[in-house]
Amino acid sequence: MTATEWGIQALLADHFKNPRNWGMLHRGRHGSGTSPGCGDEQVVYVDETSGRLARVRFQATGCALSRAATSILLEHAEDLPWADVDALDQSFFVETLGRDVVLSRPKCTMLGLSILHNLSPSAENE
């Protein structure tokens, strides 16, 4: 394993064992999604202020990759304007986790982002 691969594995393990933004929000909105292949189930909570994600949280069951990827995503997305969140795509994860990890299980990697995109005000207007 290369040093980069070790670093990615360490990042994933850290976010799986110590997820950022874990828990519920009692204010705001929430959405949920599943990735049946792994049995992943997630709920993402958002509290918005002036078009920004003031606070984001999630709860999840399922594989380590799905949970870690959502933790990494929400750590990045907190306090971003919705327009920046809407612009996030698979390339965010490729840059963060590497192409091999993302392409090995894209549905697991993208679950949290899919839920977040469905919560976006722009999704409500479609």
Side-chain angles (χ1 to χ4, degrees), residues 33-41 107-108 111:
T34 62
S35 177
C38 276
D40 300 327
E41 296 180 2
K107 289 182 182 177
C108 299
L111 180 58

Side-chain angles (χ1 to χ4, degrees), residues 29-47:
R29 299 181 301 124
H30 69 277
S32 62
T34 62
S35 177
C38 276
D40 300 327
E41 296 180 2
Q42 294 187 0
V43 180
V44 175
Y45 302 86
V46 298
D47 183 12

Side-chain angles (χ1 to χ4, degrees), residues 75-93:
E75 183 176 53
H76 175 77
E78 191 163 60
D79 203 39
L80 286 179
W82 272 114
D84 290 356
V85 173
D86 290 340
L88 292 172
D89 59 16
Q90 191 176 43
S91 64
F92 167 78
F93 293 107

Side-chain angles (χ1 to χ4, degrees), residues 53-92:
L53 293 177
R55 294 189 312 156
V56 291
R57 299 289 182 270
F58 80 109
Q59 293 180 309
T61 59
C63 74
L65 177 57
S66 175
R67 292 170 62 177
T70 298
S71 174
I72 292 165
L73 167 69
L74 296 185
E75 183 176 53
H76 175 77
E78 191 163 60
D79 203 39
L80 286 179
W82 272 114
D84 290 356
V85 173
D86 290 340
L88 292 172
D89 59 16
Q90 191 176 43
S91 64
F92 167 78

